[in-house]
Amino acid sequence: MERLKGIMVSDGIAIGVAVIVGNVDREVPELQVTRAHVPRELERFDEAVAAVAEDLRKLKETTRAALGDVSEIINTYLAFLEDEISILRPIRRLISGDRDEAATAVVRHFRTLMEELRGLPEPLPSRIPDLLDIQRRLVSHLQGVSSRALPDKLPKNSVIIADDLTPTQAASLDRQRVVGFATVHGGPASHTAILARHLGIPALVGLGSALGNVPAGARVIVDGFNQDLVVQPDAATVRNAQVRMRRLQQKASGEVGESRTRDGTQIDLHGNIDSDLGARELKQQGVAGIGLHRTEYLFLGREHAPNEDFQTQHYARLLRAMGQRPVVIRTMDFGSDKWDPRIQAGREPNPALGLRSLRLSFAYGDIFKTQLRAVLRASVHGNARILFPMVTDAEEFLRARAALHEAMAELRREGLAFCESLPVGAMLELPVTALVAPALFAEADFVSIGSNDLIQYSLAVDRTNPEVASLFVPQHPGVLKLMQLAVQAARATGKPITVCGEIAGMSRFTPLLVGLGFTSLSMATSRLREIAEAVRNCHDAACRELTEAVLAAPGPLAADRLLDAFHGIRATRSTRRG
Amino acid sequence: MSAPSARVNVTLPNEQGLHARPSALIVRTANKFEAVVTMRVGERSADCKSIMEVMMLASPQGTILAFEASGADASAAVQALAELVGRGFGE
């Protein structure tokens, strides 16, 4: 039994069979053939091209709207595979002239092509991964390995283990058979993460190269709560996971129940949601609304951003499903993993500090405006709110709101209806934003705290980096101080504030959030019942005392001890009360 | 290639320039015709039936693309390409 530490990007627990999806470059030895074998190599090459093209065409047919339209990407791949002049003929020349073995010729020629692309201006070098993908498919075929990199038929309860899934791989998965994901790389906005959240199955990313040692077919547990992947677990570990899975299933369904503290303070609980799946169930569970609808899923697997009508229909469906309950739609928030290979610069030396989130939306104003128009047009179908991600300060918020007003003016000119009084909010994710929160609150209708990024940027810790992941500590007194500033600014203006990072869904921290004065939390839907129960256990005064003590603690270790002690005391108290 | 029997100039409207997707569309359109179709950008040119050649010209927004064709359906080919580029490849 072995445990690999990862980062949970979609929660839950799954027990399954490891299916290794190889993205790793296969070593291709440079081989020559005798003159007599040249015709056979030429034939093998042509067969490989035809077979790869056929695979791609099949993929295009079997992949339908559900997972985003990958057909544009596939069409481009096919055009490469049909390029006689620059691709097919030069490779055939290497086979007949240099007597290269077919796979050798493919690798040699693609290397030249990629070198040439590398020298050209963006976005052309961004296509290099596509060429690599085509090369891989051809070489796999020539070497007699499944060219799809994914097995034809997945076993039941597959746990997909990969470097990171490509959009075409994500699109071609048999989703009935996948119960979990584990990847070497990737962050919360990677294709794997978005797909997993969409499907509602657990995923761990950032497991590091040790993941490469997991044997195919091994029994594994994807444990989103402990944030680890257990390889070949012993019987006791499996039993323990089964028990927790059952408890989770019970918790995930049924009414969330009251979320009032023992002193009667109402804490509104909202769900975070990636797609429109499950919205109806959420409403039945009795949540206050959707506190965070991440829209990145809509962009997944597309070469181009989805058009306005498509987006409008999607948002409208979600709004209608929630009736009059508020639905906070966050505009696209792409991080270092961007959906569009042209935008995916990949060359940013420091993507966390680079062109991401709202900055990216400003840089791609057309795509941003399309989304704003779609949200506006959908807003007549329910109780919509719009939320801008990672807003630095009031000025940046005004710039984003100006883009929204521009979209509104356009719609008015075109005679299209939208909700004029649509509330507009800002996501507070940077330490500096907390320091200038009063000015931001003067402009924004509401603020949501994105705790994951707030912690990352406060502590300078990338939680997907295993070397420093243990330093990612939500209970750090400095982080809490920033959250306190934000909640104080909210109170001064009487405007709503919600916590919607992972901290909101971790019951260990619920007393701290209540103690800080938050009355609205938004979390993964599977955590709602657990947090409601945690809220019902809270004494307002005890929570405030705890919070003051933690704020005064010298560091995260002392803060952690205070939390331990608090939960210990609370446990005995509730036992005593029966 | 023999002297082109049809020729048309069109300005590239796409913000992103002639990247992979529009290049693939040019190839797909050109492949519908028998004619030999060339795309000329200044001194350089590309065979419109080769996505790599078309892409490698790395044409930014505003580039004037000169389509030239020779063969039976030459004028229909350049017209179809000019139309495709003219409406911005549906972007």
Side-chain angles (χ1 to χ4, degrees):
Chain A
M1 187 167 89
E2 198 190 348
R3 284 176 192 274
L4 304 178
K5 239 4 194 173
I7 312 302
M8 186 270 284
V9 290
S10 178
D11 70 0
I13 303 172
I15 306 173
V17 185
V19 173
I20 318 287
V21 175
N23 289 359
V24 194
D25 272 323
R26 222 167 254 288
E27 241 348 92
V28 180
E30 297 227 348
L31 295 176
Q32 256 75 46
V33 296
T34 60
R35 195 162 299 283
H37 277 109
V38 165
R40 201 197 59 185
E41 286 307 299
L42 287 170
E43 204 173 297
R44 285 201 332 121
F45 171 66
D46 286 343
E47 274 169 15
V49 171
V52 170
E54 185 52 32
D55 280 350
L56 287 167
R57 277 190 208 102
K58 263 194 224 141
L59 176 60
K60 195 167 88 177
E61 276 161 35
T62 52
T63 309
R64 280 304 157 215
L67 248 176
D69 187 5
V70 289
S71 65
E72 281 184 354
I73 295 178
I74 294 175
N75 280 339
T76 310
Y77 276 30
L78 288 171
F80 283 115
L81 285 170
E82 286 160 8
D83 189 338
E84 284 287 338
I85 296 171
S86 300
I87 297 183
L88 305 182
R89 253 181 250 156
I91 293 176
R92 288 199 205 100
R93 268 200 298 274
L94 288 174
I95 298 174
S96 47
D98 293 6
R99 286 188 281 122
D100 275 354
E101 194 257 347
T104 304
V106 168
V107 172
R108 273 182 68 192
H109 185 59
F110 271 79
R111 197 184 297 142
T112 314
L113 290 176
M114 289 185 277
E115 272 313 310
E116 284 178 44
L117 276 181
R118 206 160 281 143
L120 294 174
E122 282 293 343
L124 296 173
S126 307
R127 304 320 294 208
I128 290 173
D130 292 358
L131 284 181
L132 258 181
D133 195 7
I134 297 168
Q135 177 197 311
R136 248 178 228 142
R137 284 163 187 269
L138 287 170
V139 169
S140 305
H141 198 90
L142 287 164
Q143 295 184 333
V145 207
S146 164
S147 56
R148 255 155 293 184
L150 275 172
D152 269 341
K153 201 165 167 13
L154 291 173
K156 258 193 191 156
N157 299 324
S158 289
V159 170
I160 303 294
I161 294 187
D163 199 31
D164 187 17
L165 289 179
T166 64
T168 48
Q169 284 171 341
S172 59
L173 279 181
D174 180 352
R175 289 176 277 156
Q176 304 298 325
R177 290 172 174 267
V178 178
V179 294
F181 292 99
T183 64
V184 178
H185 299 292
S190 64
H191 285 118
T192 311
I194 295 172
L195 177 68
R197 286 197 298 261
H198 175 71
L199 299 176
I201 60 180
L204 297 167
V205 301
L207 286 147
S209 54
L211 194 60
N213 302 331
V214 177
R219 190 177 220 189
V220 290
I221 301 175
V222 185
D223 190 332
F225 288 83
N226 295 339
Q227 309 218 21
D228 60 15
L229 181 80
V230 191
V231 185
Q232 291 167 325
D234 56 35
T237 309
V238 172
R239 267 197 308 278
N240 171 285
Q242 282 166 337
V243 169
R244 287 187 299 140
M245 265 168 78
R246 261 197 302 280
R247 207 179 301 148
L248 191 68
Q249 276 156 5
Q250 287 162 1
K251 270 192 181 166
S253 57
E255 293 256 332
V256 170
E258 287 264 296
S259 52
R260 230 185 284 275
T261 65
R262 284 176 187 242
D263 301 293
T265 307
Q266 171 66 29
I267 310 291
D268 289 336
L269 303 187
H270 305 256
N272 295 349
I273 201 166
D274 277 78
S275 65
D276 50 359
L277 299 174
R280 226 170 273 280
E281 287 77 10
L282 259 185
K283 194 178 163 210
Q284 280 157 6
Q285 283 175 39
V287 296
I290 292 174
L292 179 67
H293 170 44
R294 305 186 191 91
T295 55
E296 294 77 37
Y297 172 73
L298 287 170
F299 294 75
L300 174 65
R302 290 167 176 274
E303 188 174 349
H304 281 269
N307 68 30
E308 185 178 318
D309 286 345
F310 177 89
Q311 290 194 53
T312 305
Q313 282 160 19
H314 164 83
Y315 303 133
R317 259 197 312 276
L318 184 61
L319 286 162
R320 277 196 299 266
M322 291 305 288
Q324 270 319 298
R325 295 179 205 195
V327 175
V328 178
I329 300 172
R330 184 182 67 188
T331 61
M332 56 182 194
D333 181 21
F334 287 94
S336 47
D337 304 288
K338 287 140 196 162
W339 90 96
D340 185 330
R342 295 168 308 154
I343 291 177
Q344 190 166 25
R347 278 152 205 79
E348 282 190 291
N350 205 340
L353 308 181
L355 186 63
R356 54 162 301 187
S357 212
L358 190 56
R359 302 164 184 174
L360 187 77
S361 297
F362 289 147
Y364 290 81
D366 288 350
I367 297 171
F368 188 39
K369 198 198 273 168
T370 301
Q371 185 173 36
L372 295 175
R373 285 176 54 107
V375 175
L376 285 167
R377 284 175 57 197
S379 64
V380 294
H381 293 277
N383 188 352
R385 278 123 210 250
I386 198 160
L387 178 65
F388 297 122
M390 211 175 96
V391 174
T392 311
D393 47 41
E395 286 181 0
E396 204 174 48
F397 177 77
L398 288 177
R399 186 172 167 201
R401 204 174 59 185
L404 183 71
H405 285 165
E406 203 180 297
M408 287 175 160
E410 279 182 12
L411 293 178
R412 260 183 229 114
R413 275 198 300 276
E414 293 162 33
L416 293 166
F418 62 91
C419 170
E420 294 272 353
S421 57
L422 178 83
V424 189
M427 227 162 155
L428 188 155
E429 301 179 81
L430 304 178
V432 76
T433 319
L435 300 175
V436 296
L440 180 62
F441 268 99
E443 300 296 342
D445 297 321
F446 66 96
V447 166
S448 295
I449 293 185
S451 64
N452 301 345
D453 273 337
L454 183 63
I455 298 166
Q456 145 160 310
Y457 289 120
S458 299
L459 299 173
V461 171
D462 173 4
R463 64 188 176 135
T464 67
N465 176 351
E467 303 291 330
V468 294
S470 63
L471 302 177
F472 190 90
V473 278
Q475 78 276 10
H476 195 290
V479 172
L480 297 177
K481 182 81 195 157
L482 292 168
M483 294 178 68
Q484 189 185 41
L485 288 174
V487 81
Q488 283 166 350
R491 207 170 291 147
T493 51
K495 289 181 177 171
I497 187 164
T498 299
V499 182
C500 63
E502 249 155 57
I503 192 175
M506 298 166 86
S507 53
R508 179 174 177 79
F509 300 116
T510 308
L512 273 181
L513 298 179
V514 169
L516 280 168
F518 288 102
T519 55
S520 173
L521 309 174
S522 190
M523 65 208 69
T525 55
S526 58
R527 300 298 174 99
L528 284 160
R529 279 167 59 112
E530 181 185 336
I531 299 302
E533 196 185 320
V535 167
R536 292 194 293 269
N537 279 325
C538 282
H539 289 273
D540 293 2
C543 291
R544 275 197 299 273
E545 258 169 54
L546 167 74
T547 305
E548 269 160 38
V550 172
L551 280 167
L557 295 177
D560 219 25
R561 280 194 295 273
L562 287 165
L563 275 169
D564 276 345
F566 180 85
H567 286 290
I569 291 162
R570 198 197 65 185
T572 43
R573 212 185 264 173
S574 42
T575 321
R576 222 183 310 150
R577 287 181 176 226
Chain B
M1 169 173 141
S2 53
S5 52
R7 185 193 168 106
V8 67
N9 286 355
V10 52
T11 307
L12 182 66
N14 297 52
E15 205 180 308
Q16 290 279 326
L18 206 49
H19 58 93
R21 176 183 170 270
S23 302
L25 288 172
I26 286 183
V27 171
R28 217 190 316 158
T29 308
N31 273 332
K32 289 181 191 154
F33 299 93
E34 289 293 315
V36 177
V37 197
T38 316
M39 185 180 95
R40 222 172 266 289
V41 174
E43 301 284 278
R44 301 186 304 149
S45 69
D47 187 317
C48 288
K49 296 182 181 177
S50 162
I51 183 170
M52 283 305 292
E53 286 201 359
V54 172
M55 257 174 70
M56 292 288 199
L57 291 184
S59 317
Q61 184 179 28
T63 305
I64 294 170
L65 309 175
F67 291 104
E68 297 174 351
S70 57
D73 48 8
S75 59
V78 295
Q79 241 162 40
L81 286 165
E83 202 185 290
L84 175 74
V85 177
R87 59 184 164 80
F89 302 89
E91 284 192 347

